[in-house]
Amino acid sequence: MIRLCRTLPVAFVVVLAAISLGACAGAPKSSRLSVDDVEFTAQELSAKLTDSKFLADRDSESPRMVVAINKVENLTTDVIPEADEWYIMERVRGSRSMEALKRLKNIVFVVPIDHIRGGQAQASEFDRLVALGRKPTHEMSATFRSAVRSSGEHRTDAYLCEMRITDLTSRELVFLESVEFKKTAVGKAYD
Amino acid sequence: MRIYRGGVVLAAGALVAGLAACSPPKGEQTRRVEITDTTKAERRSAQVQPAALVEFSDQVAQQLVEDLIALQEFNGPTRVNVVFGDIVNKTGIVPTSDFEAFRTRVRQKLLQSSVSRNRIRWIENRQKVEDLRRKELGGAGSDVNQEGANGPSPLAADKTYFLDGEMYRVVRGDDAVNLYMMSFNLSNAQSREVVWTNSPYEIKQTPGR
């Protein structure tokens, strides 16, 4: 009887521990964009811009391009923080040395309009004058889209991030590249 | 007695560690999968598979590049303008945004082809560029279709084409069989004459099999 009293609590705790560890074995998987995915997207896009025919075709004699950048447009079902949206664009812009782009390709970047005292809404008269002095000829931006497929506990998100440089005068797309990948998920995170 | 106490402490520790590892119930991040791979969720879904949309967009781009040389309208002295047009989505269950996402692949593939680049100028949506111009350049000359000091020359309607898409689904037996048919065509902005259409892409899906 004493032996049984001693072993019973131990067995109980052991069984509980086994159950709790067993529950963790089937932890839900998420198909949401991770930091690694954002980093991967930025890296791929900057590599594609660096190797692009668009840049290869330009030289110091090409017509001057003044490029304004905008943050990534999010058309996915994910919540992408604004910092991530800027991170991708800034990372792409920073992939080539500004000096080399200016000297060899006659391309200059200007401060994003949103960075001039938080955009038009809060801008003073001076800020507006500064903004007008930028005179961009092109705009560089990107759009993140996704297509979701789900069945039971399985879910897949196909992500496509398209980056483009648009001529603001003619509306022509002078550069366009994209990064595509999928993320899969199993289970419900709220279970 | 010491062994008995040690066992209880060890088991309790495992229990605490196990419970701590389980909370909070966040989804673990998974690795990226190639866009052309078909996953379990996609196989079991009645919606058109993204891999099929990838194949379809590749096929449209390939076919258009091949046909461009023979198209009289696309072989003039100046490049023609192509704008994204409408998507007719009669699938009932696939969001139009899915088709829009994969339509951009067609444009991207075509911009990579020198045959297409020498004949086509891809033009961005007017509203989008007008918004951008308003934001970047202020009010003056913000209407891209108005000629002026800062405005661009308007697009010549006879040299402008719309890339329109049509997506249909034929379904039988409570989603047991789904036949998708998708196609793109190019029509002139002035006369609305269809000058090119791709061979319709068809895929039959039987979810869960």
Side-chain angles (χ1 to χ4, degrees):
Chain A
M1 190 60 189
I2 295 165
R3 200 172 176 181
L4 186 69
C5 286
R6 276 180 182 176
T7 50
L8 206 62
V10 178
F12 180 68
V13 174
V14 167
V15 166
L16 265 180
I19 289 169
S20 69
L21 288 171
C24 286
K29 310 276 186 213
S30 168
S31 59
R32 294 292 173 207
L33 285 171
S34 64
V35 171
D36 187 46
D37 299 326
V38 172
E39 210 176 351
F40 168 78
T41 305
Q43 271 170 6
E44 285 290 301
L45 287 176
S46 62
K48 286 183 175 185
L49 177 64
T50 303
D51 300 338
S52 68
K53 182 109 181 46
F54 155 72
L55 274 189
D57 286 348
R58 288 188 63 87
D59 57 28
S60 57
E61 300 298 311
S62 302
R64 185 177 160 89
M65 263 178 81
V66 181
V67 184
I69 64 167
N70 265 308
K71 63 180 179 176
V72 173
E73 182 187 17
N74 178 19
L75 298 182
T76 70
T77 53
D78 275 33
V79 175
I80 303 178
E82 197 181 342
D84 296 23
E85 294 171 348
W86 278 111
Y87 167 82
I88 293 173
M89 298 310 297
E90 295 287 352
R91 182 78 189 263
V92 172
R93 187 180 69 170
S95 62
R96 293 284 296 246
S97 132
M98 291 295 111
E99 188 51 38
L101 276 176
K102 190 176 174 182
R103 196 163 39 85
L104 303 173
K105 307 288 178 187
N106 206 10
I107 298 175
V108 291
F109 284 91
V110 288
V111 177
I113 190 95
D114 291 348
H115 290 187
I116 299 174
R117 288 244 189 117
Q120 298 274 355
Q122 295 143 17
S124 66
E125 193 56 41
F126 175 75
D127 295 328
R128 281 193 202 100
L129 280 172
V130 169
L132 280 174
R134 293 156 64 249
K135 291 193 172 40
T137 58
H138 291 73
E139 189 252 5
M140 183 167 88
S141 186
T143 305
F144 234 121
R145 298 169 193 271
S146 69
V148 182
R149 298 289 179 270
S150 59
S151 176
E153 291 206 321
H154 295 273
R155 175 187 163 112
T156 298
D157 287 62
Y159 292 100
L160 292 98
C161 186
E162 176 205 65
M163 193 178 76
R164 59 198 170 266
I165 298 177
T166 314
D167 186 325
L168 289 173
T169 308
S170 66
R171 284 159 57 192
E172 183 181 353
L173 285 159
V174 294
F175 170 79
L176 186 71
E177 270 295 349
S178 66
V179 174
E180 315 157 331
F181 57 88
K182 280 181 194 171
K183 300 285 299 271
T184 57
V186 185
K188 310 271 188 220
Y190 51 78
D191 277 350
Chain B
M1 191 64 184
R2 213 175 264 173
I3 294 166
Y4 163 72
R5 273 190 195 156
V8 173
V9 168
L10 200 69
L15 174 67
V16 170
L19 289 172
C22 281
S23 60
K26 280 182 193 163
E28 280 176 22
Q29 276 297 326
T30 53
R31 284 192 298 175
R32 287 180 291 276
V33 180
E34 281 296 315
I35 197 85
T36 46
D37 291 352
T38 300
T39 65
K40 207 174 265 185
E42 291 166 356
R43 264 195 303 274
R44 292 178 181 176
S45 169
Q47 292 176 307
V48 65
Q49 291 175 2
L53 291 171
V54 168
E55 194 178 55
F56 167 54
S57 53
D58 285 348
Q59 186 192 295
V60 171
Q62 178 74 30
Q63 216 177 319
L64 183 55
V65 167
E66 283 169 9
D67 295 349
L68 269 179
I69 300 159
L71 282 169
Q72 201 188 335
E73 294 86 346
F74 288 72
N75 286 282
T78 54
R79 292 187 298 164
V80 298
N81 309 309
V82 176
V83 189
F84 275 160
D86 299 321
I87 287 183
V88 177
N89 179 7
K90 298 283 181 194
T91 60
I93 58 167
V94 184
T96 304
S97 57
D98 285 15
F99 295 120
E100 283 171 351
F102 288 90
R103 180 174 63 171
T104 60
R105 291 188 89 253
V106 176
R107 187 166 67 174
Q108 186 217 321
K109 296 275 167 199
L110 289 170
L111 261 174
Q112 285 167 354
S113 147
S114 59
V115 176
S116 155
R117 248 195 342 265
N118 294 336
R119 291 169 172 81
I120 291 176
R121 275 177 3 129
W122 282 95
I123 303 297
E124 188 57 281
N125 175 283
R126 193 170 88 177
Q127 187 61 48
K128 198 169 186 174
V129 179
E130 275 179 14
D131 290 346
L132 274 176
R133 283 180 65 88
R134 216 164 282 130
K135 183 179 170 188
E136 296 291 347
L137 302 169
S142 59
D143 184 350
V144 292
N145 255 14
Q146 294 293 313
E147 264 185 299
N150 298 318
S153 47
L155 298 178
D158 61 327
K159 297 274 180 215
T160 303
Y161 293 83
F162 290 117
L163 184 70
D164 297 318
E166 289 173 51
M167 322 293 163
Y168 300 99
R169 180 176 72 119
V170 178
V171 62
R172 291 291 180 273
D174 198 21
D175 279 352
V177 180
N178 294 273
L179 173 66
Y180 286 94
M181 197 275 277
M182 302 176 278
S183 71
F184 273 112
N185 63 64
L186 279 170
S187 63
N188 185 275
Q190 192 172 52
S191 63
R192 295 305 302 196
E193 179 190 341
V194 176
V195 294
W196 176 86
T197 183
N198 74 301
S199 308
Y201 177 90
E202 290 185 340
I203 184 166
K204 195 184 279 180
Q205 288 181 202
T206 50
R209 289 188 191 178

